Amino acid sequence: MALLPSKGVVISVPVLVLSVAAATIFLFFLLSALSSSPPPCTCPIPTSDSTSTRSSAADSRNVRFGDQISASAEDVEWVKSQIEANGLHMQQNVLRKGINPRTRRQQLQDLLQFKGISHYEGEETNNHTALPCPGELLVEEHHSNYGEPWAGGRDVFEFLADSAHLMPNSKVLEIGCGTLRVGLHFIRYLNPEHFHCLERDELSLMAALRYELPSQGLLYKRPLIVKGEDMNFSKFGDGTMYSLIYASAVFLHMPDNLVWIGLEKLAGRLKPLEGRIFVSHNIKFCSRLGGDECTKRLNHLGLEYLGKHTHDSLLFNHYEIWFEFRRFKA
């Protein structure tokens, strides 16, 4: 029997069956070959310069979100571009709806008179505030008491943290942390309980504990802030070792002999070689002795003077001078 296609070509049934069978067998072997996995390649994969560059860039981006402290040049250029793109310019600060540029004195008067927008009266007055805060702190008068502008605290933190190569698990001691203008940044960066401070002024301590830590959401960091003025560091624990000890414009107001007493007590608490002591503005407690005598006294404590640094502010035309020391022996 034969099939007669429309164009008159005669194809016998046996030939047709054989052709279909051959095609099926060929397709089976083709699919088997494609589905089989090739043996794993043990050859080294070449890397190009562009691949390395991309990897380095990725690593750099990871560092930016993790370890970098100071603003980079790229950060500064980015924010400048945002200001320019939005056409922003400083305008005169005049009274306008929604923005009331009152003085802190006026704000305090309103707060005391009107107690804010809503408040409880009568017997319920004091039952709804977990941490009652004085009005003087709520209007942030302590931000202008000393060390202003307040924003400069970030500059000090960046310089010291970068210079001492701090990590979150480092321990830091500030002598005279005041209202935490600088300390807030260390507390936020460091692990809980890793920031310690000795402060003598009670009003500053009240501002730090009753306003700054709660308002910044940093109570969980449990900084150890101790009231004292005699260079007594016993409350910080005998075995505590610091990566950074610093005093910002504090030694200026202390008798030289008390500064040396403090250095003698602190030298043994500083990590050898890697730990740093930074003192701002000047070190007259040292220079008044004379260069050779000062060096001899420092060496007796196991300390050495490493040099003077000038650090520029990120936000305003200002610089600070810092003097660096380290412990050269255990």
Side-chain angles (χ1 to χ4, degrees):
M1 178 181 179
L3 298 177
L4 295 176
S6 57
K7 294 185 178 181
V9 179
V10 178
I11 302 176
S12 63
V13 172
V15 172
L16 181 60
V17 172
L18 289 175
S19 299
V20 171
T24 302
I25 294 172
F26 174 79
L27 183 60
F28 171 80
F29 284 109
L30 178 62
L31 290 176
S32 299
L34 292 175
S35 62
S36 60
S37 300
C41 177
T42 57
C43 305
I45 300 175
T47 57
S48 64
D49 292 340
S50 61
T51 302
S52 301
T53 302
R54 286 195 297 271
S55 299
S56 300
D59 292 341
S60 175
R61 285 195 297 271
N62 290 336
V63 169
R64 283 291 297 117
F65 290 114
D67 300 330
Q68 185 163 330
I69 294 169
S70 302
S72 67
E74 290 79 7
D75 295 334
V76 174
E77 290 305 314
W78 173 82
V79 75
K80 286 181 177 179
S81 71
Q82 295 303 301
I83 293 170
E84 182 179 357
N86 285 286
L88 302 179
H89 302 280
M90 283 300 297
Q91 302 292 334
Q92 186 178 1
N93 190 16
V94 296
L95 185 64
R96 53 194 186 272
K97 184 177 181 180
I99 301 177
N100 191 354
R102 296 168 296 163
T103 65
R104 287 198 173 106
R105 183 183 297 274
Q106 291 171 328
Q107 293 176 46
L108 179 57
Q109 181 180 350
D110 288 349
L111 191 64
L112 295 177
Q113 181 177 354
F114 303 110
K115 302 179 183 178
I117 298 174
S118 301
H119 60 279
Y120 294 97
E121 299 283 2
E123 296 179 357
E124 297 288 322
T125 298
N126 297 319
N127 293 347
H128 298 267
T129 304
L131 294 171
C133 192
E136 290 82 358
L137 298 181
L138 290 175
V139 298
E140 300 179 350
E141 283 190 340
H142 58 283
H143 283 192
S144 299
N145 287 348
Y146 56 85
E148 58 186 67
W150 187 260
R154 176 73 193 186
D155 294 320
V156 176
F157 161 71
E158 289 185 0
F159 168 73
L160 293 175
D162 282 335
S163 298
H165 306 291
L166 291 186
M167 298 298 289
N169 63 348
S170 303
K171 288 192 175 182
V172 174
L173 170 65
E174 180 175 3
I175 303 172
C177 58
T179 55
L180 298 181
R181 173 174 170 262
V182 178
L184 283 174
H185 303 286
F186 279 104
I187 293 168
R188 185 177 291 110
Y189 176 72
L190 297 172
N191 290 341
E193 302 181 6
H194 280 220
F195 178 82
H196 296 174
C197 165
L198 184 69
E199 171 58 49
R200 60 175 293 182
D201 184 62
E202 185 171 343
L203 291 177
S204 296
L205 288 169
M206 289 293 286
L209 296 170
R210 293 187 65 173
Y211 181 79
E212 292 301 335
L213 289 177
S215 70
Q216 297 293 325
L218 294 174
L219 291 173
Y220 77 100
K221 285 300 186 88
R222 303 292 194 273
L224 181 54
I225 302 174
V226 175
K227 184 176 185 294
E229 53 184 331
D230 54 358
M231 290 294 194
N232 181 4
F233 304 101
S234 60
K235 292 184 180 180
F236 298 111
D238 294 334
T240 304
M241 299 294 290
Y242 296 103
S243 298
L244 171 65
I245 299 171
Y246 71 97
S248 178
V250 172
F251 288 172
L252 306 177
H253 311 294
M254 296 172 57
D256 288 357
N257 66 316
L258 185 58
V259 174
W260 282 107
I261 290 173
L263 288 176
E264 184 176 1
K265 292 180 178 180
L266 291 172
R269 292 174 172 267
L270 187 67
K271 287 187 174 183
L273 301 179
E274 61 182 272
R276 292 291 185 270
I277 293 177
F278 278 94
V279 178
S280 73
H281 292 68
N282 66 58
I283 48 173
K284 290 185 177 179
F285 66 89
C286 189
S287 59
R288 277 191 280 255
L289 293 176
D292 292 339
E293 182 61 28
C294 180
T295 300
K296 188 183 303 182
R297 194 158 182 179
L298 286 171
N299 288 341
H300 176 71
L301 299 179
L303 299 174
E304 68 174 321
Y305 172 61
L306 295 182
K308 170 182 171 182
H309 306 271
T310 300
H311 177 63
D312 293 324
S313 169
L314 179 67
L315 294 180
F316 57 108
N317 190 22
H318 169 80
Y319 69 89
E320 283 196 353
I321 296 174
W322 289 89
F323 299 86
E324 180 181 6
F325 303 82
R326 75 167 178 173
R327 181 182 175 191
F328 63 83
K329 62 180 180 181

